Structure formats: structure tokens, C-alpha cells
Amino acid sequence: MKVKIGSLEIKNPVMTASGTFGYGEEFEPYVDLDRLGAVVVKGLSLEPRPGNEPPRIMETPAGMLNAVGLENIGVKAFVADKLPYLRWHSVAVIANIFGETLDEYVRIAEHLNGVAGVDALEINISCPNVKKGGIAFGAHPGDAAEVTRCVKAATDLPVIVKLTPNVTDIAEIALSVEGAGADALSLINTIRGMSVDVEKRVPHLKNITGGLSGPAIKPVALRMVWDVARVASVPVIGVGGITTASDALEFLIAGATAVQIGTANFINPRATLDVLEGIERYLVEREIGDVNDLIGTLAI
Amino acid sequence: MCDKAMESNRAVIVGIIRSNHPMTRDVFLMTVTVPHGFESAMPGQFVMVRVRGREFPFLPRPFSIHSLYREGEASTMEILYQVVGDGTRLLSSLGSGDELTILGPLGKGFDTRYDRRTVALIAGGIGIAPLHFLAQYYNKKNVHGEEKPRLVCFMGARTADGLIGRERMEQLCDAVMVSTDDGREGYCGMVTDCFVDNSKTMDTADLILYCCGPYEMMKRVALMAGDYSVPCQVSMEARMACGIGACLGCSVKMKSDGRPVRYGRVCKDGPVFDSKMIDW
């Protein structure tokens, strides 16, 4: 079941998606972390962020909108208070990072470089819920490449770049960050959306708009993964509405080397393991000895 | 029936509905058989509920535990809920034998370590749901190894039929004061004003308040508690996705006393908070 994400080898292709699994310990009663391929932690900024004013979430048909606003404890507190718990486990730890400026991305990457227990960085250039930075970097090929190049120069760790779907041509952005040295690509982040309370005639979210996630976005994510995997030469990590093993298999067949489970963790805290066990069963039943033999085998 | 409930693992408990009756036009009382081990739940804790095998509604719904008691090999949990949207409407259509997936018990319940001779439970409407479990708890065991405190319940509702479970509370409490907006039953006006009128006869130095109800009502109670220097615990409500502290959706603004803005998670840091901690 082993797969390689750049120079990082993980024990299986099932990861958690950033922002849906806390810092791992929240899921202690439900998930044996040692069984997962990797834990991608809640996005980290240089300084702690309180996040957006509530209400922050709203249910939608087959999904949810969120405008949490990247609430997090900051990179220093992560290393001091949260990383020790993760280090007790054999699971690979991927630190998701974001900044409002190029300089902030670089300083977080520098802070995490050489920290024992961090196995890779995932750069978030695609959060729709912060006013500065974030989306701006992810929406332009040149900016996306620049932040990738700067982070690569600041770290020895493998760098995964998480792409936004809120662009006209995601493959163009993908090729641009690959050219800037990205070791892998993860896609997609949430799709911008909104929801209105018709009684009060106000948005359901205080932030007005939010990011849509859950099964509702799965076909969009799958199409984008396919679009990118066809042209990219680095591994692609599929994320977006994956809830079942069958969902995950679709992404692997379409070309994803690994998958991230996000919103599904909220409705079933054991979703990651359910997906993993389902993939294992699928491979056994079809006598496929190596999951890599399944990746990108979509017959057209 | 119990065998099925016993099969459940920690992550997904299967609860089997025994009954699901309307108490009023839009408030239902559901009785659910849950596996052994669930009885460690404390008053104020909650469960996340989905209808088993149904993909709608997408997110589980949080409900406080209304009561819990052991019955043979399993336990029986009651959920008192108001139909407010599509999720609770679906729940109200279920009947005996239907199955729920349940996560819980979750969150921090009421802190009952206060050594006070009078315990006031202040409920607005459906806010009675967790306070009933708390009243049962005080009756079940002598939590302080001392004399049982005097339980006084203040129940408020718009109209008399909104005073849900009044008879039950009368059995559990030493006194129950009711108030209605139209005055047809009990005190005419808000439950907070009813409490103020009655509090004149109470020794505030020996009083603790436990409160659950609409936000504005809890805010008034919290401010009064501050004025009287009486400890007060409030059970907050918020839209949430996971119930276990991961989604950061159920935030409530905490008092920061000049420090940067800080949000608490209703699901993990609450749902019960010391009223002084909330930035009302």
C-alpha cells in the first residue's frame, strides 16, 4: 500500500485533509493514527489567528459551507504543544502552512525546517476565507510559482502545493508550481459559495461567503485531479468530498497517488479508516498486489 | 434489540428508537436504547445524531441528553427536541425500531462541584432539555456527601403548552416556578424577571445557577449572576459539524479582557460554560 509523495514514502495513500482533523489528538478515541498514511494538520500561520466571527458553518445539500477563517494556534505553539503528541505515532506528519505575505510563508517554512516530527509541508495558497494573501497567491500562475520557489528555498522538506479550484484553468497553475519546484500537488481546496436565510434576508455565514466541501464537490474535484494528473509529472493528491472507499478509488484510478479525507471526518470520525479498509478490500478482491498498479489506470 | 446496540464500537454507537412522541405541536420526546457504557454521561453533555443509513441530512445534529438510565444490559436515553428545520423534521417522523448513529457522550457538562445549599435551574422553552438530566442527577446521588441542596426550577415559555415536562420537574425539584409571556400560567412575563422576583428571598451567598435557553435569556441571567456574584453555568447552542472539536464551526466569543479576540468551541470547551467566560 506504500506510495511516494516526492521523497516522502508513506505507508498507504490515505491522509487527512487540513482543517478537518485538528492536530490529530481530537480523533484519538476513534482513529489509530498509526494506521494512516499521513496526518495533514490544521493550517498554521506565523502568529495565532482567532478566526472569523460566527456563524462560521452552514449545511448545504450533500455538503457544507465554512468560513472558519484559518483559526489556529500559530506555528510556535504547534511545535511546542501539538507536535509531541503526533511524534508518539508512526504516522507521517504534514504541516499545512499559510501566510498573508510571501515573507510569512518563508518564515513559517524556516521555523519548521529541521523540526523533528514534521515530514513535509503543504502550502495553502488557496483558502477562500481570508481577506489577504491566500487566494491571491493561488489564483495566478506567477504568484503561485513565486511562493512555491520561496518556500522550497527555505526548507529541506518535501513541499506539496494545495491548489484552489476557484480558477479558470487549474492545470495551468499546476504546471506553474511544478516548474517552481513543487514536489507534489494537492487538489482541490473548497469551492467558494454562499447561502441566504430567506426569513431574515441575511447570509447564513457572518463572512457572507464560505468554502463548499463535502460530497457535493466530489465530481468537480475528480475532474480537476484528472485534468492535472494528465499533465503533471509530480504526484497529485486528490481531495474534495471523498467519503467512501469507492470515492477514493475513483481518484486513484483517475491519477491521484494519494487521497485526503476531509469533511467526511465530521460525519464519521472513523471515515479515514473506513476508506483505507475499503481500498484494501478492493485490492485483495482484484488481486492487485500494489496500489501503485491501480493509480492512473483510467481506461478512456 | 439490545444485541444490536451492544455491537456498536466507540466511534459509531447504534441507538434504537423505542418511542418518539410529540409533547406539543413541535416538541418531541424520543427514547433510545443505547449500549452499555453510555451511562457515564454527565448532565449537560450532548450527542451527535444521524439517522442510520440515510445520507440526508448531511451533518449530524447535536442534542443534549434529557435523561439516562440503566436498563438491564443497555441504557435508555431520552432526547427532548424541537422541530426547527429539515433535520429535526426527519427525526420527528421516525418511530419505534428505527436506528440512529450516535456519537457521544460529548463535551463538558455542568460543573456540580459547587457546595451551595440552593440550586436554581433556569430554563427557557426547550432549554429544559439538559436541566432535567441535571435535576435527575441531584436526586440520584448525594453529590457532595452532604445534605441534598434545595432544587428550585424556573421554567419560562411563550405560552402554557411550552412548559414542557413541568410535572416531571415538579417531582424532581423542591419548587417549580413557571412563567409565560401571556400570563395564562404562572408569572406573567419573562422567566428572568420571575427569577429576580423570587431571588429576593434567596440567600445569594449560598446559590448556584444553571441555565439553558435562548441566547438573550442566558445573557440576562449571566448579567444578573454577575451583579449578585452568584456562580452561573450556561449551556450554549451553536451550529456544529463534528461535535469533537475539529471543525471549529461552533465558535462562541470568549471574554478576552483586552487580550486578542478568542473563540471557544461549544462542542469541546462547552457546551456548558461558566457565564463569566462568555463575551455576551
Side-chain angles (χ1 to χ4, degrees), chain B:
Chain B
M1 202 154 89
C2 289
D3 288 348
K4 208 162 201 173
M6 297 291 289
E7 282 171 15
S8 312
N9 62 31
R10 174 92 191 257
V12 185
I13 292 165
V14 177
I16 299 146
I17 297 174
R18 292 236 311 265
S19 63
N20 189 22
H21 298 306
M23 304 285 283
T24 68
R25 189 176 48 81
D26 60 350
V27 174
F28 286 70
L29 180 67
M30 179 182 277
T31 308
V32 187
T33 300
V34 289
H36 175 55
F38 208 79
E39 64 268 23
S40 62
M42 291 298 289
Q45 286 193 296
F46 70 102
V47 289
M48 293 295 277
V49 173
R50 279 189 107 206
V51 183
R52 192 171 187 219
R54 292 282 280 263
E55 293 188 3
F56 173 85
F58 180 62
L59 296 174
R61 295 289 189 269
F63 297 101
S64 59
I65 300 169
H66 186 55
S67 83
L68 193 65
Y69 45 91
R70 182 125 183 220
E71 263 187 341
E73 290 301 303
S75 294
T76 298
M77 174 175 64
E78 285 182 329
I79 295 171
L80 185 73
Y81 63 97
Q82 189 163 19
V83 175
V84 292
D86 293 338
T88 40
R89 193 168 300 117
L90 173 66
L91 212 59
S92 72
S93 72
L94 303 178
S96 176
D98 286 336
E99 295 179 349
L100 304 174
T101 56
I102 298 172
L103 203 63
L106 301 168
K108 287 200 175 77
F110 293 105
D111 185 348
T112 56
R113 290 171 299 177
Y114 291 90
D115 185 13
R116 302 274 170 148
R117 272 209 295 264
T118 303
V119 170
L121 311 176
I122 308 177
I126 193 73
I128 195 68
L131 296 174
H132 173 261
F133 190 20
L134 182 63
Q136 279 187 322
Y137 178 82
Y138 270 109
N139 275 271
K140 200 164 107 186
K141 66 175 194 172
N142 194 340
V143 288
H144 303 298
E146 295 162 10
E147 200 180 329
K148 189 188 126 198
R150 179 176 152 78
L151 286 181
V152 184
C153 181
F154 295 87
M155 298 177 71
R158 284 201 192 90
T159 56
D161 69 348
L163 298 165
I164 307 141
R166 177 182 176 179
E167 296 76 19
R168 280 181 166 201
M169 292 309 281
E170 281 169 346
Q171 285 174 8
L172 293 167
C173 298
D174 298 284
V176 174
M177 316 280 177
V178 300
S179 58
T180 50
D181 288 359
D182 60 9
R184 290 204 178 171
E185 192 73 40
Y187 182 92
C188 179
M190 288 192 287
V191 66
T192 44
D193 293 331
C194 176
F195 169 73
V196 169
D197 279 9
N198 282 275
S199 66
K200 288 163 190 156
T201 60
M202 292 179 188
D203 177 7
T204 53
D206 220 354
L207 177 67
I208 164 99
L209 309 181
Y210 296 103
C211 178
C212 185
Y215 181 87
E216 288 302 323
M217 173 217 144
M218 291 200 286
K219 180 177 175 176
R220 286 173 71 98
V221 172
L223 294 177
M224 280 191 301
D227 290 345
Y228 295 160
S229 299
V230 175
C232 174
Q233 303 236 317
V234 290
S235 177
M236 306 294 287
E237 190 175 40
R239 283 207 292 262
M240 58 180 71
C242 70
I244 59 175
C247 76
L248 307 182
C250 59
S251 301
V252 56
K253 198 181 259 183
M254 308 301 282
K255 255 196 198 123
S256 55
D257 298 323
R259 294 191 303 275
V261 175
R262 194 169 64 85
Y263 293 102
R265 298 165 296 180
V266 168
C267 71
K268 190 86 177 176
D269 305 312
V272 178
F273 292 88
D274 183 325
S275 66
K276 293 197 297 287
M277 292 168 65
I278 307 286
D279 183 354
W280 298 97

Side-chain angles (χ1 to χ4, degrees), chain A residues 62-232:
Chain A
M64 64 180 279
L65 285 164
N66 92 81
V68 169
L70 294 169
E71 174 180 340
N72 80 102
I73 59 173
V75 68
K76 295 181 193 77
F78 167 72
V79 172
D81 304 332
K82 301 296 181 184
L83 193 56
Y85 171 83
L86 289 166
R87 285 197 65 196
W88 293 337
H89 298 85
S90 63
V91 68
V93 175
I94 299 174
N96 179 289
I97 65 169
F98 70 94
E100 289 185 358
T101 63
L102 208 51
D103 180 56
E104 281 183 14
Y105 278 102
V106 169
R107 286 167 66 192
I108 303 163
E110 285 171 350
H111 193 91
L112 289 170
N113 197 34
V115 171
V118 178
D119 299 294
L121 299 182
E122 180 179 66
I123 325 178
N124 178 4
I125 56 167
S126 50
C127 182
N129 297 324
V130 288
K131 292 205 165 51
K132 284 188 277 182
I135 194 77
F137 286 105
H140 302 102
D143 293 344
E146 193 180 0
V147 68
T148 305
R149 210 165 11 246
C150 291
V151 171
K152 273 297 284 182
T155 185
D156 301 321
L157 295 168
V159 172
I160 303 160
V161 181
K162 187 166 183 178
L163 304 181
T164 175
N166 303 308
V167 293
T168 310
D169 183 0
I170 196 167
E172 182 189 10
I173 311 269
L175 290 176
S176 184
V177 300
E178 181 184 300
D183 297 291
L185 307 165
S186 52
L187 58 137
I188 58 175
N189 205 319
T190 55
I191 300 174
R192 286 187 79 190
M194 71 183 279
S195 173
V196 171
D197 181 334
V198 296
E199 293 300 325
K200 298 179 188 158
R201 301 188 203 177
V202 295
H204 274 123
L205 300 177
K206 183 77 178 175
N207 192 55
I208 305 173
T209 63
L212 182 65
S213 65
I217 73 167
K218 198 199 78 180
V220 178
L222 186 62
R223 189 274 293 175
M224 289 190 166
V225 162
W226 185 64
D227 272 352
V228 170
R230 277 188 302 167
V231 296

